[in-house]
Amino acid sequence: MSENNFWGRHMKNYGDIDIFWNEKGWFELGSIDNVTIITQGEGGFTTMLMGNAVVENDNCEKIGTILSKYHTVDAFNIIPKTADIGWPIYRINNTMIIRITSWYPLVFAPNANPSAWIYSYPIIKSLVEFIKNLEVRNIEYVCSGEQMSELKDSKSFMTKSKGRWARVIPSWADQDEEPTDIFASTPSWAIPYISKIMGVPCNVSCIINQDEGIDDQKQTAIDFYRWFNKFIGHWDIDVTKKGIGQKTIEKNVKELKELQSELKLNKPIYKKPDEGVMFG
């Protein structure tokens, strides 16, 4: 592990990831108790909306950025206002929030991704190892998965809000009965799996992708945001009827609808890490 200082930022290398901390973020790592990882770019955009609602709060502060040679980064950008290319790190109270905003592009066909693990394992292992060294209580991992109409009650799963999301407690734990499976791609199955074999407790909250329209996904994002904040995050965020989180989600959906109208498309919007906002 190496470290350097760059114009007020503190860079530390953790295996295959580099973290650029701002001055305050680096010196306060010792008080972090929990880590929440929010993955976006999978089917639908509910996790993106939920993540935006969290980080745009007044009591949420950006403390760093993760960069790696294994990141998928478009060759084109703009200057001088260059768009962020890394994974941002935030802090609310004693919780660190990491947003996975891009991932190695996948092709959804059998045996079509022979290189995916080469680009996935190094960055996942380094990320989990960094979190383990923080000695936090656990990781809360948020993702989206395929439709799970077959989901049934078990000791491993708790379905919430009419089955629009499920919570795995703890992920891949030994149970008296076999859990119902969630079909997921990297990194959403790999982060909990690597966390388990490295001895880091990792719970998963998976939003179920039902291929709904924008308004349905908006309401799911609002409800999930409120539930997660109250029962999991404990971030003391205003979740009243017109709280900051709901306003952020509604604003984002309005912008997406305007984009949809401008492009004269009427299909559900999806977010892919290698192609930006697109319509599926």
Side-chain angles (χ1 to χ4, degrees):
M1 180 175 66
S2 60
E3 56 185 275
N4 292 283
N5 289 291
F6 300 99
W7 294 285
R9 281 184 170 266
H10 190 91
M11 191 277 282
K12 293 200 70 171
N13 170 262
Y14 302 86
D16 289 297
I17 62 175
D18 298 320
I19 302 184
F20 292 81
W21 301 102
N22 65 22
E23 185 176 358
K24 186 176 180 181
W26 164 246
F27 290 107
E28 294 185 353
L29 287 181
S31 58
I32 297 294
D33 293 330
N34 301 285
V35 173
T36 296
I37 301 175
I38 304 174
T39 298
Q40 65 189 54
E42 301 165 304
F45 61 102
T46 312
T47 53
M48 179 186 71
L49 293 173
M50 181 266 193
N52 288 347
V54 172
V55 303
E56 291 189 23
N57 269 273
D58 290 338
N59 60 340
C60 183
E61 178 184 10
K62 185 177 180 180
I63 61 174
T65 301
I66 298 174
L67 292 176
S68 173
K69 65 181 179 182
Y70 295 101
H71 275 157
T72 297
V73 179
D74 198 304
F76 300 94
N77 211 315
I78 58 174
I79 51 175
K81 296 182 180 180
T82 306
D84 289 339
I85 60 172
W87 297 347
I89 306 174
Y90 302 86
R91 177 187 179 129
I92 296 180
N93 299 329
N94 293 329
T95 297
M96 176 185 292
I97 300 169
I98 300 171
R99 296 187 74 181
I100 297 180
T101 54
S102 63
W103 197 257
Y104 182 81
L106 302 174
V107 177
F108 285 86
N111 304 314
N113 301 281
S115 299
W117 189 243
I118 296 174
Y119 288 88
S120 299
Y121 176 68
I123 195 170
I124 291 174
K125 178 182 71 69
S126 297
L127 178 64
V128 174
E129 186 174 24
F130 157 69
I131 294 173
K132 181 177 182 178
N133 289 335
L134 293 177
E135 298 182 349
V136 298
R137 286 196 290 265
N138 63 280
I139 298 173
E140 292 291 343
Y141 184 74
V142 177
C143 63
S144 61
E146 291 300 314
Q147 188 172 3
M148 294 179 286
S149 58
E150 76 283 1
L151 195 65
K152 56 188 178 181
D153 293 335
S154 74
K155 295 182 179 180
S156 298
F157 284 88
M158 295 194 306
T159 56
K160 299 292 182 181
S161 190
K162 300 180 180 179
R164 288 183 294 166
W165 60 83
R167 182 159 163 75
V168 190
I169 315 177
S171 174
W172 278 269
D174 294 331
Q175 302 289 343
D176 295 334
E177 58 179 311
E178 288 294 323
T180 303
D181 292 331
I182 293 177
F183 180 78
S185 61
T186 52
S188 292
W189 68 264
I191 288 180
Y193 177 77
I194 296 299
S195 296
K196 177 186 177 182
I197 63 178
M198 292 183 68
V200 182
C202 181
N203 299 324
V204 179
S205 296
C206 182
I207 299 173
I208 301 168
N209 173 28
Q210 298 184 1
D211 199 24
E212 299 170 325
I214 299 174
D215 290 318
D216 291 327
Q217 293 195 37
K218 177 187 75 173
Q219 191 57 50
T220 297
I222 291 172
D223 294 342
F224 179 77
Y225 166 80
R226 290 173 173 171
W227 172 80
F228 196 91
N229 171 65
K230 181 177 180 180
F231 295 103
I232 311 301
H234 302 290
W235 297 325
D236 299 325
I237 296 175
D238 179 12
V239 290
T240 58
K241 185 175 182 181
K242 282 293 181 179
I244 184 67
Q246 179 167 337
K247 290 179 180 179
T248 299
I249 292 172
E250 290 175 345
K251 180 190 71 172
N252 290 167
V253 170
K254 181 180 178 182
E255 293 170 350
L256 291 170
K257 281 186 173 182
E258 290 172 353
L259 176 62
Q260 186 181 39
S261 177
E262 181 180 335
L263 297 177
K264 297 181 180 180
L265 296 172
N266 57 10
K267 294 181 180 180
I269 294 177
Y270 292 88
K271 173 82 174 171
K272 292 188 177 180
D274 58 317
E275 298 172 350
V277 175
M278 56 179 305
F279 297 81

